[in-house]
């Protein structure tokens, strides 16, 4: 379930007017910006952008970028974008970050979104960057990691509920054989995790655990730490197997670090606030015995903190 | 340009009634079926199917399958399907044909259709077969051919006209280096042909010819004949570089063989009749100094012949 609180009745024109007012004159009224945008869903934010453009012949996003700064600006920018467009931006930043590309973000986007959502992201990517997502991923990675990543971003997985039990059985064995022999990069491993439907893969992973007495993610810890491909494979399987649990860990790691990882924190909160952040918050509490809001409040400050807490469902 | 001749005014209901009549009583009136379906475009055929279903609570396709037989039945069946659905069927038949899969058809479908058309085919494939196209391709191929095929069917290429000249330059060199060293299956070769936009690839292939004095397709003949991967790579490049010329050759080969290859002949005519078969016919005449219709008429017979000639633009 989502965390953001959206009022029953909203007017895109009134919101646009209020945002204009918040941006005018000496200083910016960040509180007003948060109290509007932090309580609107994707469709409403899109309407506000359109209304703002019509009223003032100005791009709201550009205006906000010039008014805001730092982590708060980046969070608002990511939040205001249409989800597919936002994911295209996140992927692009991750791919071009530095060498090597931040492939965990690419995996996260390709494996925790639905097949149709991933297609929408690929379309948005092309509209923005005049090339395909897989083209950029392929050009900025290499070796086995490239094989895996290109296959993941190119996949249009079957989204039905059907399970082929015999296939789950045989492919659990293929995975187990490869892992036991430490052939993590075996082409069948890449083929299976990148083409099978998520429902089918869950069945395969369950079968793996039943037949071999241990989960595939546990088994993958057999490899050398620091092996990039192995880490990418582990992230892939975790994203497919239990996306909520995966995001709980993204949040945990982004806060646990010496110096908060604002990119990870913002990304997890912004991309899940309209989806399942409530469930992720619960998992976080179960796992860490402290409410996520409390940790976020302690680790962040100013408008950035106020904005994240609003997205986490705090009443104004 | 298309070859089929479509009257200005058509009524789906009248067509459905006439088809019903053609199927009723003793014997089937194949001429009537050809004179209707052979002169209707994809949207009209879809309307006829809907009208037929509403009028008679019967699936027109099933009815035709029970009335017709042989090459004629297969041609009508392929023709009446929505193009994306038809390509899904063609791909499925090719993949499952025998071991090894008929990968030329898979390449043809993935490289001569537009990026959006290929997406529609992947959707249609999932709706029909409850799994993804890339999943089936991956499960029925192996080795380097698999790498290439999975990448081709999974691609959602950028479809814009922009060309990056520097990239064309550097990637022409990468391709030339790999080909000179006979490393045809080099991962960069697969990456380039499967992810770059077609416009970009045309620029790259032109650059290749300019810089190295010979075309990439000519250069690819350096390899061993009978090398499956090399043949697949050649087909890929020919499909991207000049689809009309490619289809001219499909037609030429399907007729030239000892015993006509009806699958190839039907496929090329049915899939191009609404698109560019007129241009392909011209190329055929240029290359073979004999009109395509004449050769088709000589090599086929009966209703199958009558249907193909109608699709080739023959007046009734």
């Amino acid at each position: 379930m989502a965390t953001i609180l959206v009022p029953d009745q909203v007017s895109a024109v009134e919101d646009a007017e209020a945002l204009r007012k918040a941006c005018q004159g000496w200083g910016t009224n960040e509180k007003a910006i948060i109290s509007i945008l932090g309580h609107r869903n994707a469709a409403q934010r899109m309407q506000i952008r359109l209304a703002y453009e019509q009223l003032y012949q100005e791009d709201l996003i550009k205006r906000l970028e010039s008014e805001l700064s730092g982590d708060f600006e980046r969070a608002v920018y990511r939040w205001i974008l249409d989800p597919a467009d936002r994911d295209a931006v996140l992927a692009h930043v991750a791919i071009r970050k530095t060498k090597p590309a931040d492939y965990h973000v690419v995996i996260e986007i390709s494996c925790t979104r639905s097949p149709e959502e991933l297609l929408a992201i690929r379309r948005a990517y092309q509209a923005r960057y005049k090339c395909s997502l897989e083209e950029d991923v392929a050009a900025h990675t290499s070796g086995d990691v490239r094989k895996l990543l290109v296959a993941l971003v190119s996949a249009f997985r079957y989204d039905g509920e059907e399970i082929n039990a015999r296939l789950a059985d045989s492919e659990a064995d293929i995975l187990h054989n490869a892992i036991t022999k430490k052939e993590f990069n075996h082409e069948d491993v890449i083929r299976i995790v990148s083409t099978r439907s998520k429902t089918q893969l869950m069945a395969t992973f369950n079968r793996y655990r039943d037949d071999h007495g241990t989960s595939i993610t546990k088994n993958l810890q057999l490899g050398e730490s620091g092996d990039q491909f192995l880490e990418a494979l582990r992230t892939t399987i975790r994203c497919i197997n239990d996306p909520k649990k995966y995001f709980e860990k993204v949040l945990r790691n982004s806060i646990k670090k010496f110096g908060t990882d604002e990119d990870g924190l913002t990304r997890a909160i912004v991309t899940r606030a309209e989806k399942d952040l409530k469930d992720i918050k619960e998992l976080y509490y179960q796992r860490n015995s402290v409410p996520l809001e409390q940790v976020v409040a302690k680790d962040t400050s100013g408008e950035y903190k106020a904005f994240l807490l609003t997205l986490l469902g705090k009443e104004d």
Side-chain angles (χ1 to χ4, degrees), chain A residues 42-88:
Chain A
Q44 292 165 338
R45 298 192 303 273
M46 179 71 91
Q47 290 302 318
I48 294 172
R49 281 174 63 187
L50 291 173
Y52 190 94
E53 176 90 42
Q54 283 199 325
L55 285 170
Y56 309 112
Q57 283 78 53
E58 184 183 64
D59 181 354
L60 175 58
I61 294 185
K62 291 228 173 86
R63 180 64 188 250
L64 289 173
E65 282 183 311
S66 77
E67 297 285 334
L68 313 177
S69 64
D71 294 324
F72 179 49
E73 178 203 333
R74 268 191 298 279
V76 169
Y77 176 73
R78 274 147 183 59
W79 175 247
I80 203 171
L81 292 177
D82 179 68
D85 197 26
R86 174 205 298 149
D87 282 345

Side-chain angles (χ1 to χ4, degrees), chain A residues 113-117 156-162 197-199:
Chain A
R113 276 47 161 175
S114 76
E116 285 293 339
E117 284 170 345
F156 176 46
R157 297 178 198 265
Y158 176 59
D159 206 15
E161 292 301 313
E162 291 88 348
S197 81
K198 291 181 189 172
T199 319

Side-chain angles (χ1 to χ4, degrees), chain A residues 144-203:
Chain A
D144 291 328
V145 169
R146 166 151 88 190
K147 281 179 207 158
L148 179 64
L149 261 60
V150 170
L152 291 177
V153 299
S154 306
F156 176 46
R157 297 178 198 265
Y158 176 59
D159 206 15
E161 292 301 313
E162 291 88 348
I163 288 170
N164 180 335
R166 232 173 28 148
L167 195 67
D169 205 14
S170 68
E171 296 195 336
D173 283 347
I174 294 175
L175 292 173
H176 188 258
N177 274 338
I179 291 170
T180 311
K181 292 184 195 153
K182 300 201 179 186
E183 295 174 357
F184 306 111
N185 61 352
H186 193 288
E187 59 174 313
D188 275 329
V189 174
I190 296 178
R191 172 182 65 81
I192 292 168
V193 301
S194 67
T195 66
R196 295 303 184 195
S197 81
K198 291 181 189 172
T199 319
Q200 179 70 33
L201 282 173
M202 307 267 273

